[in-house]
Every structure is written in C-alpha cells, then in structure tokens.
Amino acid sequence: MIKYDTVLIRYGELSTKGKNRKLFVTKLLNNIKTSLDDLDNLEYRQTYERIYIKLNDNDPKVIESRLKDIFGISSFSFTQKVDSNIDMIIEACYQASLQQSGTFKVIARRNDKSFPYVSDQINRMVATKILKETDHKVDVHEPDFKIYIEVFEDGTYITCNKIEGAHGYPTGINGKSLMLLSGGIDSPVAGYLMMKRGIACEAIHFAAPPYTSNMARDKVLSLAKIISKYQGGTMKVHIINFTALQKAIYEHCHDAYAITIMRRMMMRIAKEIAVKQHCLAISTGESLGQVASQTLESVQCINEVTNFPIIRPLVTYDKEEIINLAKKISTYETSILPYEDCCTIFDPKNPVTKPSVHKAQELENRFDYQAYIQECIDTVETICVNMNEVEEDFL
Ligand code: ATP
Ligand code: MG
C-alpha cells in the first residue's frame, strides 16, 4: 500500500523568475499557511520549484478543499516520499499501481541531476516492474492512470494524482484594491477576479438606512465573508451611510441624472477611502451594456471625477458567464436574496444612458456635495469579516 504523506504544490512555472519568483513563493506560502492555520502539526518546506507540506496524519480531504481555492497554485498532488534510491522508487511505484486499474503511463522528472538514471530510464525501469508483476498495460496516449515521479536530492515524491489548482497569482502580491461591493451578483465575482490577479481586496458598501435594511447590510457582509476565503479568510468592509447624500442628489438634481451622479459621488468617496487604506485602485462589478447606465458614455462620465485607477474586471462578461462564476465561488445563492440596494430604493424611471459630463457637473454644483462627502467619510464604519463566521441564513 502506498501511503500519501506529503502534499507537493506546483506553481507558476514559466512566468515568474528571479526576485519576483521569490516574492511569489513567499506570499503563496504565507497564504497557504493562513488557510491551513487551524490544522496542527503540518510541516512546510519550500524550494525554488515547489512547496511541500508534510501531512502528519491530517485529513487530506480538508487540505485538498482548501488548497483548491488558493490562487498561485497551478496543481498539487498527495505523494509518498521515499529515498532517492532506484529500488525504493520502483517498489513504491509498483505499490501505487496496485491501487489503480487499467492502462498506465510513468512520468518521471529528474530534478536532481546527480541522480544516476535519466527520466527515460526511470520510466522504463518502473514500467518493466509493473508490467511483470501486474496485469496493467502501458498506454502512453490515453492512460487510465499516470504515475508521477519527481526526483529531488532530499527524496523522491511518488503519486498517481494531480489536482488542478486555482492558478492566478498569490493574493496580495500585486497590492490592494478597494472593491465597490453591492449586494448583487456581479460585484463579488469582480472581487474574486481581482484576487485571482494577486490583488487583495477591501470592500466599500453604500447603505441608505432606514431605506435599506439591516438584512441588506448583513447580506453584503456575508458576501464579503464568502469571497474573503480567496484571500486568506479575512476582509475589511467599509460601510458608508449614504442616505443624506442620496436624498440631496434627488432633491437638487434631475431624476434622469440621479444614478449617474450617485455613481460619481460613490467614486469620490471610494477614492478617499482607498487612499487612506493604501489601496492602489478602485474596482467595481460593472459590465458594459447590462443596464441602461452601463454605457461607455456613462463610464466616461463616472471616471471624470477622479484620475484614480478604476478597474472593471467584468466589463466584457455576459450575464450568464457572471452567474456561472458566481455559482462556482458560492456567492450566487446569497446574491439573489431579495434585499434592497441603495440604488434600487431611489430607482428613477428613465435614467440617462448617455450622460454628459458637463450636465452632471452643472447639476452637482447646485448643492454643497463636498460637505456631504466629508460627512460620509467621517462616519464610515469599518468591519473586519472572517470567512468562518458566515451565518447559515446567508449561505
Ligand atoms: P451588482 O450585481 O454587483 O450589484 P449590477 O449589475 O446590479 O451589479 P449596478 O447595480 O448598476 O449593477 O452596480 C454596478 C456596480 O456599482 C456594482 O457592481 C458595484 O460594484 C457598484 N455598486 C452598486 N451599488 C453599490 C452599493 N450600494 N455599494 C457599493 N457598491 C455598489
Ligand atoms: Mg446591483
């Protein structure tokens, strides 16, 4: 019987080199440790090419489900570690083959160039033993199972499994962004995609109490908790009380421009919070053409308020693609709960689809919006959520 005792983690093999690679691996290892920190007795080791975790009797299933969600991992395997000795390697591979059925292929990789046999020789020696002792046949094109052998100086890792990782970059390696998080389907997906590019996220949410309820607010916090698992399990959420400013907009500005101006205000506030929190960009769940206000003219009019970078990862996505991703990352069921958003509360009948910057400025200048913005920033409430605290109701 082969006993898997070590997880072998592979990452960004070609793209990252030199100093960047060191940063990449250090960050990835940190993210992995954070994600597994409730498990005792794991032993970590990192090399230029791989991260190894010695299991010490921890449950592989738990580790598998956590590792699958960590960005920066291209694939991983549960392996048995044996001495780098050809007889031991052959025996372990033979034992591994006994737990499998059908045709096979041996894939050896000799990372330790001082090992006396090249990959091809290892492949053949292992295959010869298995062909002789079992009914398995070789099929190099479409094998039913593969035996992977990785020979290193400190030992050789043997496995028949290779589990697909989440790819992307270790979250946090590319800085931090402030995510505009509504209670909808799109923004949590956008946050997930930012994290996949290695960008950590804090969230900002605009609430309009008492028009928006505590349930709506809790829903947003739950979404933040769910996606926080993709960045190590925690996330800061900044909640802005938007009611007074929103009312002022409706009082002073033309109805058709209310959504546009509301978004311009959101960006102004988000930018201030982003700078305070050392975020390098703002991100949103907007995509083009989904709703009347998401036109290029609208994007232009919103962006005009700041030259701070605004990233819209979903800009080219279809709604169906977004929904599929939302299901994959487990935010969908929470997002479709029917609580109101501040945008829907004051939903104008005919929002302008091609707003002009000039007109927006003219409307805004009818009131002292800067004072309202300052009040929003001064009264921000910051909550740090944790992925282990998702309430049942919101799952
Ligand atoms: P979502 O599903 O993310 O709500 P949507 O398709 O409903 O998106 P809009 O409601 O027009 O589109 O919002 C576009 C984007 O603006 C959202 O993805 C989000 O990033 C931001 N946004 C909207 N409302 C809020 C809010 N109350 N708080 C924070 N961000 C918001
Ligand atoms: Mg919405």
Side-chain angles (χ1 to χ4, degrees):
M1 267 289 270
I2 185 161
K3 184 174 180 301
Y4 292 137
D5 50 29
T6 307
V7 194
L8 178 157
I9 297 170
R10 306 173 188 87
Y11 40 81
E13 288 164 42
L14 301 170
S15 58
T16 30
K17 295 211 166 68
K19 197 164 146 245
N20 282 344
R21 188 171 184 110
K22 204 163 172 208
L23 271 176
F24 183 109
V25 182
T26 308
K27 189 77 192 162
L28 179 58
L29 183 62
N30 262 333
N31 291 357
I32 293 172
K33 283 182 177 171
T34 310
S35 158
L36 300 176
D37 78 344
D38 56 325
L39 306 179
D40 290 331
N41 252 337
L42 293 171
E43 283 174 56
Y44 297 89
R45 198 167 67 80
Q46 85 181 63
T47 65
Y48 187 73
E49 302 216 10
R50 303 277 188 260
I51 288 173
Y52 304 91
I53 310 173
K54 209 164 161 210
L55 292 172
N56 291 331
D57 294 328
N58 279 285
D59 182 359
K61 283 276 162 260
V62 174
I63 293 175
E64 178 179 338
S65 75
R66 305 261 181 97
L67 291 182
K68 271 185 171 166
D69 290 332
I70 299 177
F71 293 126
I73 296 179
S74 56
S75 69
F76 60 99
S77 299
F78 289 89
T79 68
Q80 182 177 28
K81 185 180 179 190
V82 298
D83 289 346
S84 289
N85 161 305
I86 192 67
D87 293 329
M88 293 183 78
I89 293 170
I90 293 172
E91 179 60 21
C93 291
Y94 162 64
Q95 292 293 335
S97 76
L98 296 179
Q99 288 163 264
Q100 307 287 332
S101 56
T103 56
F104 74 101
K105 176 179 182 177
V106 186
I107 304 169
R109 219 182 113 165
R110 189 183 64 140
N111 296 279
D112 170 15
K113 298 299 175 212
S114 69
F115 189 72
Y117 305 93
V118 298
S119 310
D120 211 40
Q121 288 172 307
I122 305 170
N123 286 341
R124 262 187 259 159
M125 290 161 93
V126 169
T128 304
K129 165 86 174 176
I130 296 172
L131 286 169
K132 200 167 133 207
E133 306 279 340
T134 72
D135 293 335
H136 299 315
K137 298 270 177 291
V138 170
D139 181 344
V140 290
H141 302 296
E142 278 186 50
D144 294 316
F145 69 95
K146 294 174 185 164
I147 303 179
Y148 298 93
I149 304 167
E150 299 204 8
V151 184
F152 289 95
E153 270 164 45
D154 72 294
T156 294
Y157 297 84
I158 291 162
T159 185
C160 292
N161 61 75
K162 193 168 189 176
I163 301 159
E164 188 75 10
H167 298 272
Y169 289 90
T171 307
I173 198 174
N174 287 331
K176 197 163 64 171
S177 175
L178 184 65
M179 181 72 223
L180 266 72
L181 191 63
S182 70
I185 296 169
D186 304 344
S187 42
V189 173
Y192 165 86
L193 291 173
M194 292 297 285
M195 292 173 191
K196 185 167 185 183
R197 298 297 359 121
I199 297 162
C201 288
E202 294 192 7
I204 183 167
H205 175 68
F206 297 87
Y211 304 98
T212 57
S213 66
N214 269 336
M215 294 300 276
R217 171 195 155 102
D218 289 347
K219 176 183 167 185
V220 171
L221 292 177
S222 290
L223 288 169
K225 286 172 193 170
I226 297 170
I227 56 171
S228 75
K229 98 170 173 198
Y230 300 100
Q231 60 174 15
T234 59
M235 186 187 234
K236 269 192 195 168
V237 183
H238 307 280
I239 298 187
I240 301 288
N241 187 330
F242 206 43
T243 315
L245 177 50
Q246 217 171 357
K247 276 184 164 171
I249 294 171
Y250 279 84
E251 200 178 305
H252 299 286
C253 308
H254 198 283
D255 238 23
Y257 264 77
I259 292 280
T260 305
I261 292 177
M262 202 174 72
R263 295 227 183 284
R264 285 166 58 95
M265 298 298 172
M266 284 182 176
M267 288 307 169
R268 290 183 172 112
I269 296 166
K271 187 243 163 180
E272 295 300 323
I273 302 285
V275 169
K276 265 193 187 160
Q277 299 296 322
H278 309 290
C279 296
L280 300 171
I282 293 169
S283 37
T284 82
E286 289 162 297
S287 79
L288 275 181
Q290 243 189 29
V291 291
S293 60
Q294 296 182 354
T295 59
L296 274 182
E297 288 83 355
S298 183
V299 167
Q300 197 175 60
C301 191
I302 294 165
N303 280 24
E304 189 268 334
V305 302
T306 177
N307 56 11
F308 204 72
I310 302 173
I311 300 178
R312 299 174 169 90
L314 298 177
V315 78
T316 62
Y317 279 50
D318 290 342
K319 194 73 188 180
E320 200 185 329
E321 293 174 297
I322 299 173
I323 289 175
N324 286 341
L325 254 177
K327 287 181 177 164
K328 185 181 143 199
I329 65 169
S330 316
T331 52
Y332 183 73
E333 295 301 325
T334 304
S335 286
I336 58 172
L337 292 172
Y339 303 119
E340 63 297 311
D341 184 59
C342 71
C343 301
T344 45
I345 295 284
F346 303 98
D347 207 9
K349 293 287 157 296
N350 294 305
V352 59
T353 54
K354 296 184 176 173
S356 96
V357 170
H358 179 72
K359 177 88 181 161
Q361 286 169 340
E362 187 195 308
L363 292 168
E364 285 172 350
N365 288 335
R366 293 183 182 177
F367 70 110
D368 181 10
Y369 67 81
Q370 204 52 54
Y372 286 97
I373 286 182
Q374 196 55 50
E375 180 69 12
C376 286
I377 294 165
D378 291 344
T379 56
V380 61
E381 180 192 357
T382 299
I383 299 170
C384 191
V385 300
N386 187 301
M387 69 173 181
N388 298 318
E389 295 164 356
V390 186
E391 293 83 6
E392 292 274 312
D393 297 358
F394 287 99
L395 274 177

